[in-house]
Amino acid sequence: VLMNRFLISFTILLLFVSACHNASEDRRDVIATDSVCVDSSCYAQDTLQLFEEEVLPESADELFNDFFFNYTYDMNFKSQRQAYSLDCNMGDTVVKIHSSELDVYSELLVDDYYSIIYERDEDLAFQKDTSLNEVAVERIDLDGKQIEQYIFNRIEGKWMLTGVGRNDMGFNPNSDFLDFYKNFSSDSIYRRNSVSEPLKFVLLSEIDDVEDEIQELTSDEWLAISADLPLPAGVMINIDYGQTIISKNSKLLLVEGVSNGLSLTYRFMKIEGAWNLVEVVL
C-alpha cells in the first residue's frame, strides 16, 4: 500500500516539475525606470542605459516566492531587478559595487526546487507574509564550504537585488548541520547510517476528511524510496526569510518546487551528539 501510494504521489510531483519548465508568463506593456531607493539610500539607474521593463501584475511581487520564480527563469527580468549599485559584504566591511561586477559571483540558478532550513513549524508562515521587505537567498557550496548570499529588498513595491556577500560556511549559524548534511546528501552509506529506526514517513492527505497516512520504515526501506526523492546535494539554494535559528539539535529541511506542487520536509534531530533523519513528510 505504501509503495503504491508513494508511486502515485511522486508521479504527480514529477508532472508538476515537468510543467515548471514549460511555464511561461503572459507579458504586458513595457515601461522605463530610472531609479529605485531604499530609505535614504538611492540606487540610481544609469540614464544612458535605460531598459524597458516588462510589467508584471502587482500580485507577482506580493510574495517573494512568486517573484523568485520569474527572477530565476527569465534572464531579461533578472537584469531588470538588479540595483545599479549594490552593497557588497566583505566580512568586516561593506562596499558598493556596480551591477556589472556581479560576474565574480556565481549565477543564481535553480533547477527545479530550492530549500528552506528552519526549526519551528510556525516559521513557515514567512513564506506567505506579504509584509516582508527583505529576504536573503543563500547559494551554499557544500563541497567548497562557501556561501554566497544575495539580498533582496522590496523597493516601491518591487523586489530588487540590492546586495551580495560571500563567506566561509563555518560562519553560518547552520554550519554544524551543513557539515553533516554534506555527507548525508553525497554518501549513501553515511546516509543509511544516519537514519533513525524506525523512520516516520508521512503521506499528507489532499482530502480534508481523509487522515494522513503514517508508516514506520527501516533504513533499507527508506533508501529504496529516497532514491527517487529530491535531495539537494553539492550546491543548494536556501531561502532565509528571517526564520529563527536557535536550536543546535533540531533542523527541518523543506524542499519546495519553484512554482509547482513539490513540497517535501526532512526532519533531523541530534541524538547522542550525532545528526539523524527522524521524519519525512511528503
Side-chain angles (χ1 to χ4, degrees):
V1 174
L2 172 63
M3 290 303 295
N4 290 338
R5 181 82 175 276
F6 171 78
L7 289 174
I8 293 172
S9 299
F10 191 68
T11 299
I12 294 173
L13 292 179
L14 285 179
L15 291 175
F16 276 120
V17 171
S18 176
C20 181
H21 288 293
N22 299 321
S24 61
E25 293 292 330
D26 178 23
R27 302 304 184 183
R28 281 87 177 166
D29 296 335
V30 297
I31 60 173
T33 183
D34 56 4
S35 67
V36 289
C37 297
V38 181
D39 299 330
S40 60
S41 301
C42 185
Y43 299 91
Q45 302 288 2
D46 189 338
T47 55
L48 297 180
Q49 299 178 4
L50 292 179
F51 53 77
E52 289 186 330
E53 180 179 351
E54 298 177 25
V55 179
L56 295 179
E58 291 184 6
S59 59
D61 279 293
E62 286 183 356
L63 293 176
F64 180 79
N65 294 32
D66 294 336
F67 155 78
F68 195 54
F69 166 72
N70 290 288
Y71 184 88
T72 301
Y73 281 93
D74 189 330
M75 294 298 105
N76 184 43
F77 179 73
K78 178 181 290 189
S79 68
Q80 297 166 10
R81 293 304 184 92
Q82 293 176 171
Y84 181 74
S85 176
L86 299 104
D87 291 328
C88 180
N89 190 328
M90 306 294 289
D92 296 331
T93 60
V94 177
V95 300
K96 291 287 186 180
I97 64 170
H98 189 282
S99 58
S100 63
E101 299 177 74
L102 279 174
D103 57 0
V104 300
Y105 285 83
S106 302
E107 192 74 27
L108 190 56
L109 298 175
V110 179
D111 292 330
D112 293 314
Y113 52 82
Y114 54 85
S115 66
I116 302 170
I117 299 173
Y118 65 107
E119 296 170 3
R120 305 178 305 170
D121 290 333
E122 52 264 38
D123 282 346
L124 280 185
F126 281 118
Q127 286 185 289
K128 305 300 181 183
D129 189 348
T130 58
S131 68
L132 287 179
N133 289 312
E134 181 171 303
V135 173
V137 177
E138 298 173 329
R139 182 186 183 275
I140 304 174
D141 182 351
L142 294 167
D143 296 326
K145 295 192 173 185
Q146 275 212 333
I147 297 179
E148 292 181 341
Q149 192 176 59
Y150 303 80
I151 306 298
F152 293 87
N153 287 99
R154 184 152 47 185
I155 304 165
E156 297 181 355
K158 298 179 180 179
W159 285 104
M160 299 284 295
L161 176 67
T162 59
V164 290
R166 183 187 289 120
N167 215 334
D168 291 336
M169 201 166 73
F171 290 97
N172 189 276
N174 287 314
S175 60
D176 178 63
F177 171 72
L178 291 173
D179 282 337
F180 153 78
Y181 182 77
K182 173 190 179 298
N183 296 318
F184 181 87
S185 61
S186 61
D187 187 328
S188 60
I189 297 177
Y190 186 93
R191 182 159 59 248
R192 185 188 186 284
N193 294 333
S194 300
V195 175
S196 181
E197 287 192 308
L199 174 71
K200 186 178 180 181
F201 188 82
V202 182
L203 282 168
L204 297 177
S205 173
E206 297 181 357
I207 304 174
D208 292 338
D209 58 352
V210 176
E211 293 185 357
D212 299 336
E213 184 175 335
I214 301 176
Q215 298 284 338
E216 292 186 341
L217 305 180
T218 66
S219 296
D220 289 335
E221 288 172 334
W222 160 245
L223 288 179
I225 290 176
S226 66
D228 292 320
L229 287 175
L231 185 70
V235 172
M236 59 190 297
I237 302 298
N238 185 63
I239 299 184
D240 180 0
Y241 298 95
Q243 55 264 39
T244 304
I245 304 297
I246 298 176
S247 174
K248 297 182 182 297
N249 301 308
S250 176
K251 299 294 176 187
L252 291 109
L253 177 67
L254 171 65
V255 179
E256 190 154 89
V258 178
S259 192
N260 60 54
L262 174 63
S263 182
L264 174 67
T265 301
Y266 300 91
R267 185 184 297 272
F268 297 89
M269 298 286 293
K270 216 170 193 181
I271 302 173
E272 297 181 354
W275 285 103
N276 281 266
L277 177 65
V278 298
E279 183 183 57
V280 177
V281 180
L282 176 60

